[in-house]
Amino acid sequence: MSKREIVINKIICGGFLGYFIILFIERLLALIFSTYLGGELSLLEGGFYAFSTYFFTLASLVAASILFIKPAIEMFKVIFKKEIYVLDDKRYFKIILPMIILLFGGMTHTGFTISYLQFVSYGCLIASMVAKTVEVCLTNKDKRFDTIISVIYLTLFSMSIPVIYPTWLDLPLNVLIYISEFSSVLLLVPTFGLMLLYFFKNDGISKFHFMPLVFMVVLSTTTIGLMWIESINLFAFIFEILAIICFSVRYIIVGSNKNREEKDVTNKNN
């Protein structure tokens, strides 16, 4: 086992652990302090939104922590040793499943939120993806473009999922907004999870299916559009556009390469 392989394995595992631990701590603090902080967003003073997001976050933390305990202990046992933690398909599933469950709680704006900690935790996950991409680039030159565009697209796709925010609009618009927000999170977070799982299992290359992009565009645009009257979620809107551009660029480049290869084969046969 080379030093390079060991270092990359440590970064991937460290990124997984960093993401989960930091986001878990941030969400745990959110549960503790959101009971009385945040005014109308606090559990003591709030209404439907405060209660629903609080218990939604609580459920995600409990479920995720139970599922992540075993793989976390296994990774901690080897992460500071000169050996690797073998990441096969089963282990990737056991690691990514609780990470995505935890992300459900991370997609809710509670009375107490430490935004920069959430970004740091997600930075750890991106570091794991980048490490996998670097590994592929160093070992397989033919897959360089595919793995680089994959990690970019996955990052953009995940950032385009709108966070569940409170709304102070009247009926029936506020009901439509909450339905749209929760639907986006409940459908797009697992979609991202499947894409992420496939990325790691398929040697750093994600599937570029058309339907997940369509679901993301429809759900994110609907949520952002309904909230537009009250506030503009430029963050999700910009990343949605970038994700569409990234998908389109990859589609154009791959299509042109296939046409070039077909022409080369035709010319050789002639």
Side-chain angles (χ1 to χ4, degrees), residues 187-212:
L187 291 173
L188 294 179
V189 169
T191 300
F192 167 67
L194 290 173
M195 294 165 64
L196 183 66
L197 178 62
Y198 189 84
F199 170 82
F200 281 104
K201 289 171 62 176
N202 194 44
D203 202 20
I205 298 174
S206 184
K207 281 187 176 180
F208 283 80
H209 287 313
F210 191 64
M211 290 311 297

Side-chain angles (χ1 to χ4, degrees), residues 207-247:
K207 281 187 176 180
F208 283 80
H209 287 313
F210 191 64
M211 290 311 297
L213 179 68
V214 172
F215 289 146
M216 183 273 287
V217 170
V218 172
L219 290 168
S220 295
T221 301
T222 301
T223 301
I224 295 169
L226 288 171
M227 286 289 290
W228 202 280
I229 301 172
E230 190 173 31
S231 62
I232 302 173
N233 191 342
L234 280 177
F235 182 87
F237 185 62
I238 290 171
F239 278 100
E240 178 185 344
I241 294 173
L242 292 175
I244 295 170
I245 293 172
C246 181
F247 186 94

Side-chain angles (χ1 to χ4, degrees), residues 50-105:
F51 278 94
S52 60
T53 54
Y54 189 91
F55 288 105
F56 188 71
T57 303
L58 177 62
S60 74
L61 256 69
V62 172
S65 58
I66 291 172
L67 292 172
F68 197 69
I69 288 175
K70 185 178 179 181
I73 292 173
E74 291 175 348
M75 284 188 283
F76 267 120
K77 285 181 179 179
V78 300
I79 197 167
F80 298 109
K81 298 179 181 179
K82 292 183 179 181
E83 56 184 279
I84 68 166
Y85 179 71
V86 180
L87 291 163
D88 54 22
D89 290 356
K90 289 183 178 179
R91 281 182 169 174
Y92 274 130
F93 178 79
K94 290 180 179 180
I95 293 170
I96 292 175
L97 177 62
M99 287 170 56
I100 294 303
I101 292 175
L102 182 63
L103 184 57
F104 280 119

Side-chain angles (χ1 to χ4, degrees), residues 19-150:
Y19 162 83
F20 193 94
I21 292 170
I22 294 172
L23 186 57
F24 180 86
I25 291 173
E26 190 278 333
R27 289 289 81 193
L28 182 61
L29 292 174
L31 288 177
I32 295 171
F33 292 110
S34 290
T35 55
Y36 60 91
L37 293 178
E40 293 183 14
L41 299 182
S42 68
L43 190 62
L44 295 178
E45 298 182 28
F48 167 77
Y49 177 85
F51 278 94
S52 60
T53 54
Y54 189 91
F55 288 105
F56 188 71
T57 303
L58 177 62
S60 74
L61 256 69
V62 172
S65 58
I66 291 172
L67 292 172
F68 197 69
I69 288 175
K70 185 178 179 181
I73 292 173
E74 291 175 348
M75 284 188 283
F76 267 120
K77 285 181 179 179
V78 300
I79 197 167
F80 298 109
K81 298 179 181 179
K82 292 183 179 181
E83 56 184 279
I84 68 166
Y85 179 71
V86 180
L87 291 163
D88 54 22
D89 290 356
K90 289 183 178 179
R91 281 182 169 174
Y92 274 130
F93 178 79
K94 290 180 179 180
I95 293 170
I96 292 175
L97 177 62
M99 287 170 56
I100 294 303
I101 292 175
L102 182 63
L103 184 57
F104 280 119
M107 296 300 294
T108 59
H109 183 75
T110 48
F112 181 85
T113 299
I114 309 176
S115 300
Y116 72 87
L117 276 185
Q118 293 183 348
F119 281 107
V120 171
S121 71
Y122 196 66
C124 292
L125 178 57
I126 293 175
S128 293
M129 292 191 288
V130 171
K132 184 65 178 179
T133 295
V134 170
E135 180 184 39
V136 176
C137 289
L138 293 173
T139 56
N140 193 333
K141 293 181 179 180
D142 295 334
K143 292 183 177 180
R144 284 181 177 176
F145 171 76
D146 291 327
T147 186
I148 291 172
I149 199 74
S150 292

